Amino acid sequence: MTTIRNGTAAGAARALILLGVLIFIGWGLWLAYHPAPVPLQGQVEARTINVAPKITARIATLTVHEGQAVQAGAVLVTLDSPEVRARLAQAGAAQDAADAKRDLVAVGARDEDVRIARAMWDKAAAAADLADKTYRRLNALYKEGLVSLQRNDEAQTNHKVALETALAARAQYDAALAGARPQEKLAADAVARQAAGGVAEVDAAAIELVLKSPLAAEVDKVVLHPGELAGAGFPILTLVDLADIWVVFNIREDDFAGIKIGAPLDGTVPALGNERVRFLIDTISPRGDYATWRATRQSSGYDVRTFEVRARPQAPVEGLRPGMSVLVAPR
């Protein structure tokens, strides 16, 4: 009887063990075909601004450091460019010369030049009057036969030359009184404006030697330091605008239920002690084909694509920074 009871108990134990193994295997298979839903994970990003010079110059001073908050208009970097200083001196000298030429044309001839022109006219007029009297006398004598034709013709020619000289002297005097012609004044004004434009151009380049913050932001990364040569368009430092912040999610289209512009997403931020934050979707765009297609099944079905979904906080969140993770519970 004892042997029978022991055999029965051993058989029951083996049956229980086998049943437990079968239950464990069945539970494992069920879990394999029904995986636990994975929360949707996104990453916080923010708008960045590259601060770069318009011209090539050497960095003289760097007034900020990484992580520093700056206000709009704050000086970030000062540059040094001997070429700009030389161009500024040249442009200033060219403008001074053009302005002086314009003023000279506007004022006209000096009083001394006018008096000289008047004296030359008076002298030529007196000579013309004398030549006229001389010709009249000799012509009267010629008519009486007392002077030769040659002498009469010479007197007549001298008279005409003296008259023309007097007219030329009068014209020079009138020109001295009138000053420059309107066209000369317009040309002088145009040259002066051109020189002023050259100065303005160099001044604009000189202003670019001082780089200021375009908005209130935080210094994210410093690329170049004092003494280094900064190329035109190459960023010296990068600013991050913490007021313009969003979360990027990569969502497959088979998980797209409820995803649309304006829809809310309630997530938690582990870096902020799992603080719950509501986000609103504002951008949905497909990602590149090279890394987003995926088959739903190996043998049949269709390929699903991945979309980049951006969502912004419904209200400002203190402490939310780029790089933080946001978890959205599966739906």
Side-chain angles (χ1 to χ4, degrees), residues 202-219:
V202 180
D203 282 341
I207 292 175
E208 293 298 328
L209 294 178
V210 178
L211 303 183
K212 299 180 180 180
S213 177
L215 75 169
E218 182 179 296
V219 180

Side-chain angles (χ1 to χ4, degrees), residues 274-326:
N274 290 325
E275 179 180 351
R276 293 190 60 82
V277 179
R278 167 157 288 192
F279 300 91
L280 298 179
I281 299 173
D282 69 349
T283 304
I284 300 175
S285 59
R287 299 199 58 191
D289 292 344
Y290 63 91
T292 60
W293 293 98
R294 181 176 177 182
T296 54
R297 283 180 290 177
Q298 294 296 328
S299 59
S300 63
Y302 64 95
D303 292 338
V304 293
R305 195 171 188 182
T306 301
F307 287 78
E308 181 180 290
V309 177
R310 293 187 179 186
R312 297 180 182 272
Q314 189 176 29
V317 180
E318 184 178 357
L320 190 64
R321 298 183 59 83
M324 291 183 177
S325 298
V326 176

Side-chain angles (χ1 to χ4, degrees), residues 125-142:
D129 184 61
L130 177 60
D132 179 64
K133 291 178 180 179
T134 301
Y135 169 65
R136 289 179 185 277
R137 292 190 187 108
L138 290 177
N139 184 257
L141 294 174
Y142 167 71

Side-chain angles (χ1 to χ4, degrees), residues 65-251:
H65 57 81
E66 293 180 355
Q68 179 179 343
V70 295
Q71 299 298 320
V75 176
L76 305 176
V77 182
T78 58
L79 304 173
D80 179 49
S81 175
E83 294 83 1
V84 171
R85 292 198 300 269
R87 287 170 52 197
L88 185 60
Q90 292 174 357
Q95 184 180 23
D96 292 341
D99 291 344
K101 180 65 175 179
R102 179 191 58 192
D103 296 341
L104 180 61
V105 171
V107 171
R110 295 177 297 176
D111 293 339
E112 294 83 355
D113 295 333
V114 175
R115 290 199 299 270
I116 291 173
R118 179 56 188 262
M120 296 298 294
W121 176 40
D122 291 341
K123 178 181 177 181
D129 184 61
L130 177 60
D132 179 64
K133 291 178 180 179
T134 301
Y135 169 65
R136 289 179 185 277
R137 292 190 187 108
L138 290 177
N139 184 257
L141 294 174
Y142 167 71
K143 289 178 180 180
E144 295 178 0
L146 299 176
V147 176
S148 65
L149 179 60
Q150 176 69 26
R151 184 70 182 277
N152 181 73
D153 291 343
E154 290 177 355
Q156 186 180 14
T157 302
N158 291 336
H159 178 223
K160 291 181 179 179
V161 171
L163 288 177
E164 294 298 332
T165 303
L167 291 175
R170 175 59 188 271
Q172 290 180 349
Y173 173 66
D174 291 340
L177 286 178
R181 291 176 295 179
Q183 294 82 356
E184 292 176 334
K185 293 181 180 180
L186 290 176
D189 287 340
V191 172
R193 290 196 302 271
Q194 183 181 16
V199 172
E201 180 182 3
V202 180
D203 282 341
I207 292 175
E208 293 298 328
L209 294 178
V210 178
L211 303 183
K212 299 180 180 180
S213 177
L215 75 169
E218 182 179 296
V219 180
D220 181 47
K221 188 175 183 180
V222 175
V223 181
L224 299 177
H225 298 84
E228 294 184 289
L229 188 65
F234 188 83
I236 297 176
L237 54 86
T238 302
L239 301 177
V240 58
D241 183 9
L242 297 179
D244 188 4
I245 202 165
W246 62 88
V247 182
V248 176
F249 299 96
N250 293 314
I251 304 178

Side-chain angles (χ1 to χ4, degrees), residues 25-76:
I25 293 175
W27 177 250
L29 292 174
W30 189 89
L31 290 178
Y33 285 95
H34 299 82
V38 178
L40 180 64
Q41 181 174 348
Q43 182 172 326
V44 178
E45 295 184 3
R47 183 163 69 99
T48 57
I49 301 97
N50 292 327
V51 178
K54 285 185 177 181
I55 60 175
T56 299
R58 194 170 299 278
I59 300 176
T61 60
L62 182 66
T63 59
V64 294
H65 57 81
E66 293 180 355
Q68 179 179 343
V70 295
Q71 299 298 320
V75 176
L76 305 176

